[in-house]
Amino acid sequence: MEWGSIAEWVGAITGTGLATASLIVALRANRHADAANTRADKMEELERQRDLLNIGSQLQVWWACHEASGEDSDDDNTEQSKKEWGIIIANTGDEALMLTKVEIEVVKQNFTPEEVSSEIVTWKYDALPPGVFFRQAYRKGYTNAIANLSDYRVILNSSKYRINSICYSTPNHRRWKWTPEYGLAEIIETDTPNSAS
């Protein structure tokens, strides 16, 4: 049995050492690549959260009461009739966009001669441009742009008047839903257009 020359031994040891060093370098490079991918994933998630925050801050809705005056007030002179109850719809922000398929589900009081009761109502808008609007609760379809929010008293805490949910679509065809329980989330629409056969 021949053991080979010293040169062969040195070559074999050097080759083994180089292969081991290459393996160590490759393992370290993989660790660094994994760490870089993890950082990139975290950055992507942070950007997604920032985008959600921007979208969520774009459309806000809350109940308010406005003291009606002149021709805007109702016919009778009761104290209740001079107040216009409704929601403020604010589509504002640095990147406010035209929103479509807007649905705002609210709880409101109904006043009838027989009783006072609550009702769940969904107000729908095909399109909502940037701006601030007031939707009256007791006049059908009456929504008006407003310039001065100081004329409106905000209803911050009431079981009689509350916002249950807000749904809308952005120009990139993404659908969003806000609820007080879960905040803002993207929702996937299951109804897709039928393809021609």
Side-chain angles (χ1 to χ4, degrees), residues 21-37 39:
S22 296
L23 181 61
I24 290 170
V25 168
L27 289 173
R28 286 184 181 169
N30 280 345
R31 258 188 270 141
H32 287 298
D34 288 344
N37 285 340
R39 282 191 301 273

Side-chain angles (χ1 to χ4, degrees), residues 131-157:
V132 181
F133 307 91
F134 182 69
R135 162 69 190 233
Q136 284 195 348
Y138 300 105
R139 289 190 189 174
K140 193 168 186 123
Y142 182 70
T143 303
N144 216 0
I146 56 175
N148 189 357
L149 285 174
S150 65
D151 295 338
Y152 296 82
R153 188 181 59 170
V154 177
I155 310 301
L156 295 175
N157 190 13

